[in-house]
Amino acid sequence: MAGATGMTNTRKQSNALTRMAALAAMAMLMSGCTLFTWGSNGFGQLGTGDTTPSSNPGETAPGSFGETWQSINAGWKHTCGIKTDSTAWCWGNNGSGQLGNNSTINSSVPVQEHSASTWIMIVAGTDYTCGIKTDSTAWCWGDNNSGRLGTGGGATTVPTQEASGSTWSTIDAQWQHTCGVRLDATLWCWGRNADRQLAVGSGSAVPVQEETAGLWIDVTVGADHSCGVRANAEPWCWGTNSSGQLGINGSFFIERNPPEAVHTDLPWTEIGAGTRHNCGLKANREIWCFGRGLYGQLGDGGGTVRRVPVREATRSFWNAVSAGMQRHACGIRTDDTAWCWGYGFWGGLGTGNTANSDSPVQEQSRSSWSSISAGYDHTCGIKLDGTAWCWGTNDVGQLGTGNTVRSLTAAPVTGGATPPRWIAVSAGGAHTCRLGEDFTIWCAGNNANGQLGLGSDAAAHTVFTRLSSGTAWKNVSAGDTHTCAVASDNTLWCWGNNADGQLGTNNTVSTNTPIQVGTDTHWVTVAAGGTHTCAITATGTMYCWGSNSSGKLGNGTIVASLAPSQVSGGDAWVRVATGANNTCALRATGSAACWGQNVTGAVGAGTTGGNALVPVDVDTTLTFTAIDVGSEHGCAISTTKTLHCWGDNFRGQLGIGASPLVSNRPVQVG
């Protein structure tokens, strides 16, 4: 993000939020606008009167304690700031005249720039400096290699006005090129252009307008690339993309010109460039980063390259997660907002478009939600007001909106109580079921296998229709082509497709009305998967039944079971989630275990390949409160409310960026 830490002036200082200057010196404005610095100090860039490095914040400029500052900007080996009287001062390396005091002598204390003017912003580059005076004119000084000063002349040790004599709102400098936005909102750059970082065809020693002639509110420059935010709040980047720093479409390119929109949702207010990465500020005050993150500079905990923006991890806390039945996942953050990621072609992400996203994107309505469930290519959720909404594919009416029209954003469902107030929702393969606060179950969508439980297996239903049974229900789970639920008397019932024994009735006869699983009356929760089902009793014992080709029943075999078969690993299970080829569950201790297919590391235990026929522990350093399973991936929320996913990431369904394509251990979602 363009802007220096702790800045109090009303005009934004255009510089990187996390830029390479931080490696040389750190500066911070404490309360009362006193300036403190720490870090490397070989050229006096801390301004403390010596060249001794410091790992602790120390006040600058001995002999001038008590002076107050309104902004600060750290360059490579020098630092500049503006005092509250609007005068500009610099200190540190001055070999190229970058301190602007008409000399080339280093200074370990602040020295005023030569013109003694008043300023509204100042930015320190590698060995040059630029700023904007209070009359909105732009001035630069120091080394002029590649024409980075924009003056059309040579190097200078005093502030020299850029050649056009125009008025400016913001400016940024870093390596060998400079960009700024004029008061008329046009964007201009000058200096080195070997990687098209000027957004024009050739380099220039004077300001040249970027080729699209768009309107801009912010600009920032990296080593060999540039980014900016347009007046419509769209972030754009151009130049080299060797480390994904353009964030454009998930691919690496040598160079891009003219500017191209960053692969992200709107709106953004600021963006700042580091050497090969960027961070931006969205209108909701969230920070998102992309590009080279091998040293953790993206703040996502991943230590890798992110070719599209990812939300910095330290602010991501979650209440709920649904891994989806196939290629996308969704979750609810602690601020009650809903976010989705992964495959978006059918609109299952709810963003108003069909773009995929390998990091979480907020559903378009930006509402407050209490629960969410991701199906095959559709998603449903319940808002805090108790209303139910769905989005995504709707070819058989699984959204329950009264039609079969796909919806790219959250659409209100039809059918059910009036006013509709719901407490739970479960999205299956091509059908959805909801639980009302009156303990009734209502379903919509595909009914070819009787999975709606309506007493027929003919037509699909485009509106939610009440289950034929008059039983009061505690919870419901929609699988691929079958459904199961626990009744208020703790009996367990299933209906729909039973070709693999997933109904647990000791046969393979399908049914379009609820049929009881055994005679036990101590069931607590149930999870219907693709072709198998698992449930937990009041004593914490878990049973699974149905297909077992990959060992997903967890009983140590690959033999299918037509009736409940106890899962290995003892009792004390409290939550269970079933996917297409896997099962995961939580123990009362908060530890997680998974079993079944592990080709893509979906078991999450640090191995890849083969099958796990019994439960194996996921990351033993974490404890969890919620867990869910997709086709070949899983997600869980830790006791500290951070979100972690593992397994297949081919469609970005782990929410951690485009790479790695597979993770056999939980990775924190940004």
Side-chain angles (χ1 to χ4, degrees):
M1 176 205 321
T5 304
M7 187 168 49
T8 57
N9 56 319
T10 56
R11 297 292 291 271
K12 178 179 65 66
Q13 179 135 338
S14 180
N15 205 351
L17 184 150
T18 51
R19 57 173 299 166
M20 58 112 181
L23 300 177
M26 294 294 294
M28 182 176 182
L29 298 180
M30 305 297 284
S31 59
C33 299
T34 302
L35 177 60
F36 291 78
T37 59
W38 60 95
S40 177
N41 196 31
F43 295 86
Q45 58 264 49
L46 298 188
T48 53
D50 54 40
T51 57
T52 304
S54 176
S55 59
N56 296 306
E59 193 171 2
T60 61
S64 61
F65 290 144
E67 293 186 350
T68 55
W69 301 78
Q70 62 172 291
S71 68
I72 188 70
N73 191 266
W76 177 235
K77 295 177 181 178
H78 75 292
T79 309
C80 294
I82 299 176
K83 292 183 178 180
T84 50
D85 63 1
S86 297
T87 57
W89 301 67
C90 296
W91 54 98
N93 185 19
N94 197 31
S96 300
Q98 57 263 52
L99 302 189
N101 64 341
N102 201 27
S103 79
T104 56
I105 300 173
N106 300 342
S107 178
S108 60
V109 297
V111 292
Q112 189 173 7
E113 55 80 27
H114 183 70
S115 73
S117 302
T118 54
W119 302 77
I120 56 174
M121 70 174 300
I122 194 167
V123 288
T126 49
D127 45 14
Y128 75 113
T129 306
C130 292
I132 298 177
K133 292 185 178 181
T134 51
D135 63 359
S136 298
T137 57
W139 301 68
C140 294
W141 55 97
D143 185 86
N144 196 31
N145 185 31
S146 301
R148 70 185 90 174
L149 300 186
T151 60
T156 175
T157 60
V158 298
T160 303
Q161 189 172 5
E162 54 79 27
S164 73
S166 301
T167 52
W168 302 80
S169 64
T170 189
I171 196 171
D172 195 29
Q174 193 176 129
W175 283 95
Q176 296 190 50
H177 77 291
T178 308
C179 291
V181 177
R182 291 183 178 175
L183 291 183
D184 63 2
T186 58
L187 175 62
W188 300 68
C189 296
W190 54 95
R192 186 177 185 269
N193 195 40
D195 295 284
R196 303 297 179 91
Q197 57 264 53
L198 304 189
V200 294
S202 60
S204 178
V206 298
V208 289
Q209 188 174 2
E210 56 85 21
E211 290 184 353
T212 69
L215 298 180
W216 302 81
I217 60 174
D218 186 42
V219 68
T220 183
V221 299
D224 299 304
H225 76 288
S226 309
C227 294
V229 178
R230 287 193 166 177
N232 63 357
E234 289 181 344
W236 293 63
C237 292
W238 56 97
T240 185
N241 196 36
S242 58
S243 297
Q245 58 264 54
L246 301 191
I248 49 178
N249 60 2
S251 299
F252 291 128
F253 294 91
I254 300 301
E255 58 189 32
R256 299 294 289 182
N257 176 54
E260 187 165 335
V262 173
H263 183 79
T264 184
D265 61 332
L266 301 179
W268 287 45
T269 59
E270 299 179 48
I271 192 168
T275 305
R276 292 181 178 86
H277 75 287
N278 311 283
C279 289
L281 185 68
K282 291 190 178 183
N284 62 0
R285 313 309 294 171
E286 290 179 349
I287 297 172
W288 289 66
C289 300
F290 52 98
R292 191 170 189 259
L294 300 181
Y295 303 103
Q297 58 264 56
L298 303 187
D300 65 342
T304 186
V305 169
R306 303 295 192 197
R307 288 173 283 187
V308 294
V310 60
R311 187 175 186 257
E312 56 87 22
T314 58
R315 296 185 57 207
S316 298
F317 299 101
W318 302 78
N319 283 333
V321 64
S322 177
M325 294 199 68
Q326 182 70 1
R327 300 168 287 191
H328 79 293
C330 296
I332 298 176
R333 289 185 174 159
T334 51
D335 62 0
D336 300 322
T337 57
W339 301 70
C340 295
W341 56 95
Y343 188 66
F345 180 78
W346 296 104
L349 306 189
T351 56
N353 57 55
T354 58
N356 300 338
S357 178
D358 51 30
S359 61
V361 288
Q362 190 173 4
E363 58 81 30
Q364 193 178 70
S365 76
R366 301 183 181 274
S367 301
S368 296
W369 301 83
S370 63
S371 65
I372 197 166
S373 179
Y376 195 91
D377 280 317
H378 75 292
T379 306
C380 292
I382 298 174
K383 293 186 179 182
L384 290 182
D385 62 4
T387 57
W389 301 68
C390 295
W391 57 91
T393 188
N394 195 30
D395 56 319
V396 287
Q398 55 265 58
L399 301 189
T401 53
N403 55 52
T404 56
V405 179
R406 175 179 59 175
S407 180
L408 303 183
T409 59
V413 305
T414 58
T418 304
R421 187 164 187 88
W422 306 94
I423 58 177
V425 63
S426 180
H431 74 292
T432 308
C433 291
R434 296 176 295 149
L435 179 67
E437 64 178 357
D438 59 355
F439 310 111
T440 57
I441 290 176
W442 300 67
C443 298
N446 186 20
N447 195 35
N449 295 280
Q451 58 263 56
L452 302 188
L454 305 177
S456 68
D457 53 7
H461 284 244
T462 62
V463 299
F464 281 91
T465 306
R466 184 175 176 178
L467 195 68
S468 59
S469 171
T471 305
W473 302 94
K474 296 172 62 174
N475 56 59
V476 62
S477 177
D480 187 12
T481 56
H482 75 292
T483 309
C484 293
V486 176
S488 58
D489 62 0
N490 300 321
T491 55
L492 177 60
W493 302 72
C494 293
W495 56 96
N497 187 10
N498 195 31
D500 293 283
Q502 57 263 55
L503 301 189
T505 55
N506 207 27
N507 58 50
T508 56
V509 179
S510 300
T511 177
N512 54 35
T513 58
I515 186 169
Q516 188 173 354
V517 180
T519 59
D520 292 332
T521 59
H522 53 227
W523 299 98
V524 175
T525 187
V526 64
T531 55
H532 77 295
T533 306
C534 294
I536 299 174
T537 69
T539 61
T541 306
M542 191 191 318
Y543 295 85
C544 294
W545 54 94
S547 173
N548 195 26
S549 56
S550 57
K552 55 192 170 185
L553 301 189
N555 59 10
T557 76
I558 56 172
V559 179
S561 179
L562 303 183
S565 173
Q566 187 172 350
V567 175
S568 302
D571 298 335
W573 300 100
V574 293
R575 292 179 182 268
V576 62
T578 53
N581 302 295
N582 299 88
T583 306
C584 290
L586 298 182
R587 301 183 182 94
T589 59
S591 63
C594 294
W595 54 97
Q597 189 179 94
N598 196 38
V599 174
T600 59
V603 172
T607 62
T608 304
N611 299 323
L613 306 186
V614 296
V616 293
D617 289 338
V618 184
D619 193 331
T620 56
T621 65
L622 296 169
T623 53
F624 302 95
T625 59
I627 196 166
D628 200 25
V629 184
S631 176
E632 295 182 20
H633 70 289
C635 294
I637 297 175
S638 74
T639 50
T640 59
K641 293 191 176 296
T642 55
L643 176 60
H644 305 258
C645 294
W646 60 92
D648 180 32
N649 194 38
F650 180 72
R651 297 285 188 178
Q653 57 265 55
L654 299 191
I656 58 172
S659 62
L661 292 177
V662 169
S663 177
N664 57 26
R665 292 185 181 276
V667 180
Q668 187 172 344
V669 179

